[in-house]
Amino acid sequence: MSKNQPWWINGLFFACRGCGRCCRGEPGAVWFTPSEEEALCTFLALSPEQFRRSYTVTRERRPSLRERWNGDCVFFDASRGRCAVYHVRPLQCRLFPFWPSLLAHPDNWADETRRCPGMDSGRFYAAALIREHLALAPFPDL
């Protein structure tokens, strides 16, 4: 591997197991864009004001989905172990685990594999596809 190549140049493996661990537990931010807010409002049949009042907080000067007292995302349906707004979930959720922060260093990826059973298994993602995912990241510090 040359110095100019990312550590993941040979690709990575990932397959979502549907466990919901990325949606619950540890505190964090689930940022969303204005268009994602609009899609969530439409899906939930709420005005932007109602949506913001019920489902959002500000984290690092950006709107983020609220968390419950136990760290679960407000849209995590514990009875089903699934996201209640899955079809309109923010791009941040859809891109996991191909986030700039997790791909910045192999130790970051390794740390997350201890939490996510789908990482380092399942489908192979070539470097070109990983780059495409990174290019979609709506927030550079994701």
Side-chain angles (χ1 to χ4, degrees), residues 3 18 23 48 55 69 76 84 86 96 103 113 133:
K3 275 189 158 184
C23 306
Y55 297 109
W69 65 270
F76 180 70
Y86 185 82
F96 181 84
L103 294 169
T113 63
H133 281 59

Side-chain angles (χ1 to χ4, degrees), residues 1 34 39 43 47 51 55 78 81-82 87 102 104 111 114 118 121:
M1 175 173 68
F43 183 81
S47 72
F51 173 76
Y55 297 109
R82 298 281 183 263
H87 297 293
L102 295 179
D111 287 345
R114 290 189 268 290
S121 67

Side-chain angles (χ1 to χ4, degrees), residues 63-128:
S64 175
L65 297 180
R66 189 180 299 273
E67 293 173 330
R68 295 189 182 101
W69 65 270
N70 61 357
D72 289 1
C73 173
V74 68
F75 291 118
F76 180 70
D77 181 346
S79 66
R80 294 182 21 236
R82 298 281 183 263
C83 176
V85 295
Y86 185 82
H87 297 293
V88 293
R89 70 197 185 282
L91 186 56
Q92 175 178 336
C93 302
R94 286 184 260 153
L95 290 176
F96 181 84
F98 301 105
W99 293 350
S101 62
L102 295 179
L103 294 169
H105 193 276
D107 290 346
N108 300 0
W109 184 269
D111 287 345
E112 194 66 19
T113 63
R114 290 189 268 290
R115 220 170 62 90
C116 175
M119 292 172 70
D120 288 343
S121 67
R123 177 182 170 194
F124 176 72
Y125 286 78

Side-chain angles (χ1 to χ4, degrees), residues 30-86:
V30 178
W31 298 312
F32 54 89
T33 65
S35 62
E36 291 169 334
E37 179 183 47
E38 186 177 323
L40 286 160
C41 288
T42 300
F43 183 81
L44 297 167
L46 295 172
S47 72
E49 294 76 22
Q50 291 169 312
F51 173 76
R52 290 179 197 129
R53 194 171 40 253
S54 298
Y55 297 109
T56 72
V57 295
T58 299
R59 292 232 165 86
E60 299 177 39
R61 297 190 309 255
R62 292 185 204 137
S64 175
L65 297 180
R66 189 180 299 273
E67 293 173 330
R68 295 189 182 101
W69 65 270
N70 61 357
D72 289 1
C73 173
V74 68
F75 291 118
F76 180 70
D77 181 346
S79 66
R80 294 182 21 236
R82 298 281 183 263
C83 176
V85 295
Y86 185 82

